[in-house]
Amino acid sequence: MTTTTDTRPPSLIRATGFGYFPIALLARLPFAMMVVGVLTLVVSARGDIALGGLNSALTGLGTAVFGPLIGAAADRLGQRRIVLLCGIVNSLALVAMSWVVFSTLPDAVVLAVAFVIGATAPQVSPLSRSRLVGVITRHLPEDRRAKTFNGTMAYESAADEIVFVFGPFLVGLLATTMNPAAPVIGAAVLTLIFVTAFAYHRTGRALTGADGRPERVVQAAASELFHIRVTTVTVGVLGMGLFFGAMLTTLTSFLADRGEPEAAGLIYGVMGIGSAIFALAVAWFSPRFTLRARWLTFAVILVVGSALLPLMDTTGGVALALALAGIGVGPTLVTQYSLGAERSPLGRSATVMTMLGSAVIVGQSASAALVGVLAESAGTAAAMMTPATAAGIVLAAGIVNWFLGKR
């Protein structure tokens, strides 16, 4: 009797199983549908655009406040039970929204449900990054870790770009072909199916010792989360969120002036597609092109693309500026998340990843609101200056990070 031994070198896909990646991709889709879905539903059901915007803002606020707490709980208790609990409660909240918004209950109740939807949103994207970093560290030989880590962060950022382009498109498709509640109910169903599958995937198991009991969690002090090496990355990611909100709001104002506001999503997608492509390209960068050099390089491209925006007076020109900015977006985010993973204090990887994810949401929500007020009061020309300002924050944080890296 002969036995065969698998002599193939270990890889991330073999360590996780191929099924992990489609599950993790689809599990983050409901999150990309929530904010736009809630906005569409509230505006349709209650006929109040301002109320719809406020509900979307509260959904984002709930995620920003509770996202890091969910990450901290996952670090302490393991991802499986936390993700499963969030998925169940979030699905119920989404279904509740589809009923409450058509009821005679006051607007305050609708706003409260929107906040709960955001607060219980399963943090699939940052938790997936945390899982994969752990798998790479535990299962891959040291000489393969750096390249695999680089490619993994590139894939994760590209996956985020894909779902955040496709999610709003799916919301629009369901809302127009079925009814305004369909996107929210669809997000609830997707959450129950794929977030549950993500929770139960073997990569979500808590580590166990030789006796089969869960290993004692060893964590660095919480104060380490506020070390300058971590906060610099957080500020950089916050700048990216500010950029996203400013760019989308500015673009909407620009196209509304020309009587075609419905084209905002299509033109914005020019930046998203380019961003995803260049995010994936990071996997092929030479190790000699260091993370701190990448941040500076692509932040400069982001600034240049944003600075060109006020000079454009045609839709084609604006699309060109967005395409150039998109070259800087994806690689900058990949680099920031890579630095966040590297600098996570012991036992607090999920916390840091959810902090970064929340920073994007806080920046996006805040800048969308502020730039919207600016565009309304001072006009589109003033609003078109704001993306470059946000890109400047990203670049400034990258400069600080450069000197931290040298130390």
Side-chain angles (χ1 to χ4, degrees):
M1 179 178 179
T2 60
T3 59
T4 59
T5 303
D6 189 350
T7 59
R8 294 176 297 175
S11 70
L12 181 62
I13 292 179
R14 278 197 288 277
T16 61
F18 181 78
Y20 173 82
F21 293 94
I23 289 172
L25 180 66
L26 291 171
R28 69 186 80 191
L29 183 59
F31 185 82
M33 298 170 62
M34 284 176 192
V35 175
V36 180
V38 167
L39 172 65
T40 303
L41 175 59
V42 173
V43 171
S44 175
R46 303 233 164 176
D48 190 333
I49 296 176
L51 179 63
L54 188 55
N55 272 272
S56 293
L58 276 176
T59 302
L61 179 63
T63 302
V65 171
F66 283 89
L69 298 179
I70 291 172
D75 277 332
R76 172 65 63 178
L77 304 173
Q79 286 194 20
R80 176 166 293 173
R81 65 182 76 177
I82 299 301
V83 172
L84 189 60
L85 177 62
C86 287
I88 292 172
V89 177
N90 190 250
S91 297
L92 293 174
L94 286 165
V95 172
M97 174 60 83
S98 66
W99 173 77
V100 166
V101 74
F102 289 106
S103 73
T104 57
L105 291 171
D107 292 343
V109 176
V110 180
L111 292 169
V113 175
F115 182 83
V116 172
I117 289 173
T120 59
Q123 301 292 310
V124 174
S125 179
L127 293 181
S128 177
R129 285 181 170 90
S130 178
R131 278 192 198 188
L132 295 177
V133 168
V135 171
I136 291 168
T137 303
R138 291 192 300 270
H139 296 285
L140 269 63
E142 192 168 350
D143 61 340
R144 293 177 60 86
R145 289 177 191 169
K147 183 177 180 180
T148 305
F149 175 80
N150 200 23
T152 299
M153 291 298 108
Y155 163 78
E156 285 288 307
S157 293
D160 286 343
E161 295 281 354
I162 290 168
V163 297
F164 276 99
V165 169
F166 184 67
F169 169 78
L170 186 58
V171 168
L173 181 65
L174 292 174
T176 54
T177 58
M178 299 177 70
N179 64 68
V184 172
I185 295 174
V189 173
L190 288 172
T191 298
L192 271 181
I193 296 172
F194 292 105
V195 172
T196 300
F198 179 77
Y200 275 107
H201 191 272
R202 67 172 187 260
T203 55
R205 288 198 301 257
L207 297 178
T208 57
D211 58 359
R213 296 182 179 180
E215 287 185 357
R216 178 177 174 272
V217 177
V218 179
Q219 291 183 313
S223 60
E224 290 294 311
L225 294 169
F226 303 99
H227 191 283
I228 188 171
R229 290 170 62 81
V230 178
T231 55
T232 298
V233 179
T234 305
V235 171
V237 175
L238 175 67
M240 292 302 300
L242 292 169
F243 172 81
F244 291 143
M247 184 62 84
L248 180 58
T249 308
T250 297
L251 179 61
T252 302
S253 178
F254 175 85
L255 292 171
D257 291 346
R258 285 152 179 76
E260 45 184 359
E262 68 281 353
L266 182 63
I267 304 299
Y268 190 73
V270 172
M271 186 179 74
I273 293 170
S275 175
I277 292 171
F278 280 91
L280 286 172
V282 171
W284 286 275
F285 288 172
S286 167
R288 289 179 292 181
F289 189 14
T290 63
L291 291 176
R292 63 194 183 106
R294 292 177 194 177
W295 187 340
L296 280 182
T297 300
F298 290 102
V300 168
I301 296 174
L302 186 69
V303 169
V304 172
S306 304
L308 289 175
L309 191 64
L311 306 178
M312 303 300 180
D313 56 4
T314 66
T315 302
V318 168
L320 182 63
L322 262 68
L324 179 59
I327 296 173
V329 169
T332 302
L333 271 177
V334 172
T335 300
Q336 290 168 336
Y337 273 105
S338 298
L339 286 167
E342 282 190 359
R343 296 175 181 177
S344 297
L346 178 64
R348 295 190 180 274
S349 173
T351 307
V352 171
M353 290 296 107
T354 47
M355 283 172 56
L356 299 183
S358 296
V360 173
I361 295 168
V362 170
Q364 189 171 15
S365 301
S367 65
L370 292 173
V371 175
V373 172
L374 180 64
E376 189 71 27
S377 60
T380 300
M384 292 181 82
M385 305 295 292
T386 58
T389 303
I393 295 174
V394 178
L395 178 59
I399 293 171
V400 173
N401 182 72
W402 174 269
F403 290 104
L404 291 177
K406 288 185 72 173
R407 285 165 49 196

